[in-house]
Amino acid sequence: AIGNRYDLRGPPTKIQACCDNEYLYFAIECNKVPDRDYPQNTLARTRDARLEARDRVDLLIDIDRDYTTYYQLSVDHHGATYDACWNDASWNPEWFVASRTTENSWICEIAIPLAELTTEPRATKRLWAIGVQRIIPGVGFQSWTEPANPQIDPTGFGYLQLP
């Protein structure tokens, strides 16, 4: 779970990660903020949606742990996505998102092909730096690790060990 930071009310955002030989998976559950509108999206998803004004989760993955370069994969309550490599939005990996909303939360399941992130053989263990943060513009910010900032700071990333 992501701990509270600033004045973000409600239970923590829940995020789980796992992998197999082909994919890195994330399951995300975010409680809706009371008195905030979460309209349904009737439009088709587009690549690199503008998510700045939306309740969203950013997955920040630093494969080589240099704490400078990282992949950013972001998703909002509609399942709209944004991806970039070291702030370059022309990086367009193939990844998969399923989303749904309930009365009190929004949920996303994400599958990222490992081949989109690395060419490293699967037989070796991997230790990657990772940042996970939720941003609700005008409301608050949550992060899995510290120091953290809505303006991405890779020096605050934690670790993800893949078997």
Side-chain angles (χ1 to χ4, degrees), residues 7-84:
D7 192 24
L8 193 54
R9 290 173 174 66
T13 298
K14 297 175 189 169
I15 299 180
Q16 296 176 323
C18 66
C19 70
D20 61 20
N21 287 333
E22 296 181 55
Y23 291 90
L24 176 60
Y25 301 99
F26 290 93
I28 300 169
E29 182 176 7
C30 299
N31 282 31
K32 292 180 179 176
V33 175
D35 303 320
R36 180 113 176 163
D37 190 25
Y38 288 86
Q40 293 295 323
N41 184 17
T42 58
L43 303 174
R45 290 185 194 166
T46 60
R47 180 170 290 285
D48 294 334
R50 296 189 56 96
L51 303 181
E52 301 87 16
R54 300 184 190 171
D55 183 351
R56 68 185 183 278
V57 170
D58 298 327
L59 304 170
L60 310 159
I61 304 169
D62 180 355
I63 301 295
D64 62 3
R65 296 185 325 274
D66 67 356
Y67 302 96
T68 303
T69 58
Y70 55 89
Y71 297 112
Q72 177 180 353
L73 299 123
S74 302
V75 64
D76 76 353
H77 74 279
H78 293 129
T81 62
Y82 173 84
D83 45 60

Side-chain angles (χ1 to χ4, degrees), residues 55-121:
D55 183 351
R56 68 185 183 278
V57 170
D58 298 327
L59 304 170
L60 310 159
I61 304 169
D62 180 355
I63 301 295
D64 62 3
R65 296 185 325 274
D66 67 356
Y67 302 96
T68 303
T69 58
Y70 55 89
Y71 297 112
Q72 177 180 353
L73 299 123
S74 302
V75 64
D76 76 353
H77 74 279
H78 293 129
T81 62
Y82 173 84
D83 45 60
C85 177
W86 201 18
N87 297 316
D88 178 2
S90 69
W91 176 65
N92 291 316
E94 181 178 83
W95 55 300
F96 308 94
V97 176
S99 67
R100 68 182 177 94
T101 59
T102 68
E103 183 178 331
N104 298 314
S105 64
W106 60 271
I107 299 159
C108 287
E109 295 175 2
I110 298 171
I112 307 162
L114 291 170
E116 295 287 355
L117 303 173
T118 182
T119 58
E120 184 177 307

